[in-house]
């Protein structure tokens, strides 16, 4: 029996086991779930051991624990380090879910649950692929695992963890399934991720909430001021007006732009899916460019004053906004944070106080499409999908990927099996069973191809 035959005869159990993992509400952002998050780390460790790892450990960090595992069959063979995360985004707004986020339901060939695609479902593909290879004696190389619990909150403690575990994490390549494909008919591999700078801006007007009739019209309203400041952050061409924002951006060559825009994109279907009558974005760039290779600035949240039921006449003391910027090569997260702060301080009118704080960040990455790892992934996907994958640029961010290279000196390959329509971070997140099983089937091919290419180049 080979690995894919083993998969075929264990499909239902592979699904049932994933469902159990999805029941654990490992929401990293919410400290009320700290015990669940720990329990989830233990479950991942157990799954790694059950699948055939020689060692697995739940390692404490300053934040949520990180799970390591390994199976070394021969020190002379290449070692692949699989990265993923077991933490998930908060599930709210809960009332928009058609079934509870932590009570997984299989419907129309998809599994619905928070984390189904991002990233428990994709992590579990690697664990079940491992089991399939171990049970059929077909593991071609050494495997290590690092499954973290803080990706969705910026992986703030992972850099220190990498630094103190360099030796244990030594590997030839990092394999990541935490990105998406264009579609199951058009397989693709992301050859880059955007970086991120996440900021918070607090505007304070009067020292306390006031009666909006007694004081309104005579005192600066922080919500109005914040709204004006925010509205000025894009110009008429929808370019970001933060001074110096584009300075380090590497423009694509005309050839690269043509290649990028060859990916299928149906504008009408896109608009229809999102129920918008028109798209929006930086003038002079296509949607694929705007979401892949151009930097952006987005409002993530804005609040202040009274937001409860009914009406309360109040002139609030404070207004706050959360703002993220997606970065592309060669923008640097810290530098952009400084430019942003400087810009906001400059545009703030003198009659309010403005406080700008930085949350997490991460650097953009580009993964070459001619590397052994990329070629191995492309060939694996071609084998299991029957079609050559096309390279695309992902709009999302995985901050740790740049650190794998900087701290450990290891490059990554982004072999993700999600879809942009999987509602990650949204209500009704789901993952196609087809995608799940295809992933489990494809991973052993990747490992085999990669090992062969590595051995040849020795
Ligand atoms: N898996 C996503 C990133 C992603 C999604 C990349 C789809 C490519 C395609 C990851 O879990 C994520 O959500 N990252 C965050 C950044 C983090 C610092 C909160 C993001 O991109 O917002
Ligand atoms: Mn993810
Ligand atoms: Mn995510």
């Amino acid at each position: 029996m080979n690995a894919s035959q083993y998969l075929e005869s264990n499909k239902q159990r592979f699904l049932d086991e994933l469902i159990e993992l999805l029941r654990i509400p490992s929401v990293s952002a919410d400290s009320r779930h700290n015990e669940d998050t720990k329990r989830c780390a233990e479950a991942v460790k157990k799954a790694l051991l059950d699948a055939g790892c020689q060692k697995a450990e739940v390692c404490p960090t300053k934040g949520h624990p990180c799970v390591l595992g390994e199976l070394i069959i021969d020190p002379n063979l290449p070692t692949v380090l699989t990265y993923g995360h077991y933490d998930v985004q908060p599930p709210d707004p809960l009332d928009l879910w058609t079934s509870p986020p932590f009570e997984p339901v299989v419907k129309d060939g998809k599994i619905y649950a928070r984390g189904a695609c991002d990233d428990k479902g994709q992590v579990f593909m690697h664990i079940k692929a491992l089991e399939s290879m171990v049970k059929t004696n077909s593991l071609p190389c050494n495997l290590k695992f690092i499954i973290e619990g803080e990706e969705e909150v910026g992986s703030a403690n992972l850099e220190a963890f990498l630094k103190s575990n360099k030796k244990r994490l030594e590997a030839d390549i990092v394999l990541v399934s935490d990105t998406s494909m264009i579609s199951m008919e058009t397989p693709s591999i992301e050859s880059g991720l955007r970086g991120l700078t996440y900021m918070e801006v607090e505007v304070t007007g009067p020292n306390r909430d006031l009666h909006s009739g007694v004081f309104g019209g005579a005192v600066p309203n922080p919500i109005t001021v914040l709204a004006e400041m925010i509205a000025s952050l894009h110009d008429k061409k929808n370019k970001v007006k933060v001074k110096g924002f584009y300075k380090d951006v590497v423009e694509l060559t005309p050839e690269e732009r043509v290649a990028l825009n060859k990916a299928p994109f149906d504008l009408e279907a896109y608009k229809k899916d999102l129920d918008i009558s028109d798209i929006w974005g930086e003038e002079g760039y296509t949607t694929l460019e705007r979401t892949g290779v151009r930097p952006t600035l987005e409002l993530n949240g804005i609040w202040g004053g009274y937001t409860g039921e009914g009406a309360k006449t109040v002139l609030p003391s404070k207004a706050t906004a959360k703002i993220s910027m997606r970065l592309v090569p060669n923008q640097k997260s810290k530098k952009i944070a400084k430019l942003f702060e400087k810009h906001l301080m400059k545009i703030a009118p003198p009659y309010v106080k403005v406080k700008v704080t930085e949350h997490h960040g991460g650097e953009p990455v580009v993964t070459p499409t001619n590397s052994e790892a990329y070629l191995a992934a492309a060939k694996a996907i071609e084998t299991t999908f029957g079609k050559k994958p096309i390279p695309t640029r992902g709009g999302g961010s995985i901050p740790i990927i740049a650190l794998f290279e900087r701290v450990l000196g290891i490059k990554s390959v982004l072999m993700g099996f999600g879809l942009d329509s999987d509602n990650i971070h949204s209500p009704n997140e789901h993952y196609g069973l087809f995608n799940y099983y295809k992933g489990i089937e494809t991973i052993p091919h990747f490992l085999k191809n990669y090992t062969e290419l590595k051995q040849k180049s020795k």
Side-chain angles (χ1 to χ4, degrees):
M1 196 169 9
N2 64 24
S4 62
Q5 288 160 336
Y6 184 87
L7 160 65
E8 206 49 51
S9 42
N10 287 278
K11 273 185 150 171
Q12 188 58 45
R13 180 172 57 82
F14 283 5
L15 177 59
D16 294 340
E17 290 177 9
L18 171 60
I19 287 175
E20 287 314 305
L21 191 70
L22 291 169
R23 285 189 200 283
I24 309 174
S26 48
V27 182
S28 50
D30 187 344
S31 58
R32 288 172 301 180
H33 284 295
N34 282 359
E35 281 309 308
D36 297 316
T37 304
K38 220 191 236 156
R39 189 155 57 88
C40 192
E42 292 293 342
V44 170
K45 172 193 160 181
K46 182 172 184 301
L48 284 168
L49 288 173
D50 290 349
C53 275
Q54 294 150 332
K55 283 194 230 165
E57 191 184 336
V58 174
C59 306
T61 70
K62 282 206 175 115
H64 298 298
C66 185
V67 187
L68 297 186
E70 65 176 57
L71 177 48
I72 307 296
I73 53 172
D74 177 352
N76 296 314
L77 286 169
T79 301
V80 174
L81 174 62
T82 298
Y83 163 83
H85 60 94
Y86 68 82
D87 66 320
V88 300
Q89 284 278 324
D92 45 279
L94 282 174
D95 53 322
L96 294 182
W97 285 76
T98 51
S99 56
F102 298 107
E103 293 171 30
V105 169
V106 177
K107 210 171 50 186
D108 309 325
K110 300 175 188 106
I111 177 158
Y112 284 80
R114 172 56 87 228
C117 169
D118 185 14
D119 182 33
K120 285 177 181 169
Q122 298 205 63
V123 163
F124 218 64
M125 298 180 321
H126 288 270
I127 298 179
K128 293 298 110 179
L130 166 67
E131 179 188 323
S132 307
M133 291 180 289
V134 168
K135 287 286 158 62
T136 56
N137 239 319
S138 58
L139 181 66
C141 60
N142 303 310
L143 279 184
K144 292 183 180 175
F145 290 85
I146 175 167
I147 314 297
E148 69 152 315
E150 293 195 301
E151 198 278 339
E152 299 293 9
V153 288
S155 307
N157 299 298
L158 205 55
E159 179 169 3
F161 185 80
L162 295 188
K163 283 185 175 148
S164 47
N165 288 279
K166 272 189 186 168
K167 187 86 194 135
R168 253 174 114 174
L169 295 168
E170 262 175 16
D172 296 281
I173 189 78
V174 180
L175 172 63
V176 184
S177 297
D178 192 21
T179 53
S180 38
M181 283 192 172
I182 295 172
S183 70
M184 288 296 106
E185 295 74 44
T186 313
S188 58
I189 300 178
E190 290 193 3
S191 64
L193 291 164
R194 289 194 287 187
L196 184 69
T197 299
Y198 202 112
M199 308 295 290
E200 187 163 324
V201 181
E202 185 190 75
V203 175
T204 306
N207 61 3
R208 60 188 187 276
D209 284 8
L210 303 171
H211 188 291
S212 66
V214 177
F215 291 93
V219 169
N221 185 319
I223 300 183
T224 310
V225 173
L226 178 61
E228 282 169 354
M229 287 168 65
I230 286 169
S232 77
L233 293 177
H234 288 98
D235 70 10
K236 284 207 177 62
K237 294 182 172 171
N238 300 331
K239 282 196 179 289
V240 178
K241 269 169 60 184
V242 172
K243 202 160 184 289
F245 187 73
Y246 293 99
K247 186 166 173 279
D248 298 325
V249 171
V250 179
E251 296 283 338
L252 262 57
T253 64
E255 294 75 34
E256 284 173 319
R257 289 186 73 177
V258 169
L260 181 85
N261 285 299
K262 275 203 180 128
F265 177 73
D266 182 339
L267 182 60
E268 287 315 310
Y270 189 79
K271 291 196 287 194
K272 186 154 179 269
D273 175 48
L274 302 174
D275 197 14
I276 50 174
S277 58
D278 207 353
I279 51 168
W280 180 95
E282 188 186 358
E283 205 176 284
Y285 294 93
T286 64
T287 300
L288 288 174
E289 290 169 337
R290 288 167 179 171
T291 56
V293 294
R294 296 299 296 170
T296 58
L297 181 151
E298 290 298 324
L299 265 290
N300 291 253
I302 175 165
W303 70 97
Y306 184 68
T307 56
E309 195 185 336
K312 176 192 178 193
T313 49
V314 61
L315 193 164
S317 168
K318 284 183 195 305
T320 314
K322 291 190 192 281
I323 301 178
S324 67
M325 287 158 279
R326 297 285 166 173
L327 314 179
V328 301
N330 290 331
Q331 290 175 301
K332 296 267 180 301
S333 179
K334 285 268 179 251
K335 184 173 172 191
I336 294 294
K338 286 213 178 69
L339 290 176
F340 179 86
E341 182 180 1
K342 204 169 153 199
H343 184 85
L344 269 97
M345 289 307 185
K346 206 181 115 208
I347 63 173
Y351 42 76
V352 293
K353 296 187 195 76
V354 173
K355 195 170 97 191
V356 178
T357 42
E358 185 185 353
H359 288 274
H360 50 60
E363 307 305 337
V365 278
V366 175
T367 57
T369 51
N370 57 3
S371 67
E372 285 160 337
Y374 185 92
L375 297 175
K379 193 174 159 207
I381 288 170
E382 190 176 357
T383 303
T384 56
F385 285 74
K387 258 186 205 169
K388 252 195 179 52
I390 52 179
T392 58
R393 287 289 199 92
S397 309
I398 310 175
I400 201 63
I401 304 298
L403 291 175
F404 282 135
E405 179 148 12
R406 209 187 75 210
V407 177
L408 303 177
I410 316 176
K411 291 208 170 359
S412 298
V413 58
L414 305 166
M415 195 170 75
F417 295 89
L419 298 176
D420 284 347
S421 54
D422 286 341
N423 288 340
I424 65 171
H425 296 206
S426 304
N428 304 312
E429 175 175 353
H430 55 267
Y431 193 39
L433 299 186
F434 182 87
N435 308 50
Y436 178 57
Y437 293 129
K438 264 292 174 227
I440 301 174
E441 189 191 345
T442 308
I443 291 159
H445 287 280
F446 168 82
L447 298 175
K448 187 166 160 285
N449 298 342
Y450 181 71
T451 304
E452 283 172 9
L453 283 171
K454 270 304 236 205
Q455 299 291 80
K456 242 189 251 162
S457 70
K458 244 185 180 177

